[in-house]
Amino acid sequence: MDIDVFSSSELPTVFGVLRSALNAAGPLDARERDFIETFARIAGAAAPAQDPAPLAAEDVWLEGEHPRKRLLQLSALAVLLNRPLRPASVQFLRDLGRRLEVHDGVLDVVAALSRGQRRKVRLLAARRAFGGILGEAYRAEGVLGIARFMAALLFKRAVNRDRYWDYKRLGLLPDGTLGREYWRHMTSLGFGHPGEPGGIAHSGAFHDVGHVLTGYDTTPAGEILQGSFQGGSRRDDGFLFIQFVILQFHHGVTITPVAPGEFDLFEPRKVLWAIHRGASCKVDITHQWDFWPWMKLSVEETRARFGLLPA
């Protein structure tokens, strides 16, 4: 999900929209200002010297469906930064979607969250997130891939037993290689490999390989960044990952059964940069990524070949 998609002539409009989504009625606070300043740096523009003037939704228009979609999604992130949500920001987002003639599922999520319908929020977000994840499992292994993923996630069943020793032997690779560092990551955290009880499914292994690649840890603060990176990396509906982690680790909505909900971990400078870092990566690590050819290379060489920006 690329977010650096606007022309220089469109940026004043984008800044005004983000201002309205964050807080149209009063001065921006430090985190809200950080959101706009970080996006400006990503877009290669000077940060506004003063808080941008807010815009009404009816005064906004961009040519092209793609930048309009991204503007709506960025505005949704701006709305979701505040907790609790600002009612005026929620209304602006709804009006913006109508004005831009764009619909995204996040509109329904934000509306439900603003009404305190947390179960509905969880269902909507889980349907989108797991729809994408299970779609990848299906592409990898067909219906059996979905069954294996869910059996490992929900019941801690050993799946992909035929791959177990492939993963275990990664520990024999030299220090510093992607494979050895992945093995070290999994072993030190007590995470199971595909093929052993409590292990993950092979189709989901990209997530922890990605942790090693990006350098983000597995604390809640690290997971919100890893999910944001994956959302940026994904070329098809990357927002599913970003929405997931913002709700799980900022609004405390427990979407995945493997981690509790957390609050107040949306740091705009880190999250927006992680999205941009993922979008700049030459490889979509979430879509049928064959990481095995890279396992014998050093982590640093792999990062360089992928064009990975610094954290």
Side-chain angles (χ1 to χ4, degrees), residues 28 51 61 68 78 85 99 106 125 172 183 195 201 224 246 290 293:
L28 300 181
D51 293 348
W61 184 255
R68 293 202 301 271
L85 303 184
R99 172 58 180 156
V106 72
L172 300 176
W183 175 88
I224 196 173
I246 296 298
D290 181 10

Side-chain angles (χ1 to χ4, degrees), residues 184-211:
R184 191 193 309 276
H185 164 88
M186 298 293 284
T187 303
S188 64
L189 293 170
F191 292 171
H193 291 289
E196 60 184 343
I200 57 174
H202 172 64
S203 63
F206 72 88
H207 176 76
D208 280 287
V209 179
H211 269 293

Side-chain angles (χ1 to χ4, degrees), residues 165-175 177 179-184 187 193:
W165 284 106
D166 293 337
Y167 282 93
K168 289 288 284 185
R169 278 192 284 263
L170 293 173
L172 300 176
L173 292 173
D175 283 340
T177 58
R180 175 59 182 263
E181 296 310 311
Y182 169 73
W183 175 88
R184 191 193 309 276
T187 303
H193 291 289

Side-chain angles (χ1 to χ4, degrees), residues 204-223:
F206 72 88
H207 176 76
D208 280 287
V209 179
H211 269 293
V212 177
L213 183 68
T214 62
Y216 298 133
D217 63 32
T218 58
T219 64
E223 290 291 0

Side-chain angles (χ1 to χ4, degrees), residues 130-192:
F130 285 105
I133 293 169
L134 294 178
E136 293 300 323
Y138 179 82
R139 293 183 188 97
E141 301 178 302
V143 175
L144 190 56
I146 296 177
R148 284 170 170 163
F149 185 91
M150 297 306 293
L153 179 68
L154 299 178
F155 305 111
K156 309 301 181 184
R157 297 287 299 275
V159 299
N160 298 115
R161 295 175 186 269
D162 58 318
R163 306 302 300 264
Y164 175 66
W165 284 106
D166 293 337
Y167 282 93
K168 289 288 284 185
R169 278 192 284 263
L170 293 173
L172 300 176
L173 292 173
D175 283 340
T177 58
L178 181 61
R180 175 59 182 263
E181 296 310 311
Y182 169 73
W183 175 88
R184 191 193 309 276
H185 164 88
M186 298 293 284
T187 303
S188 64
L189 293 170
F191 292 171

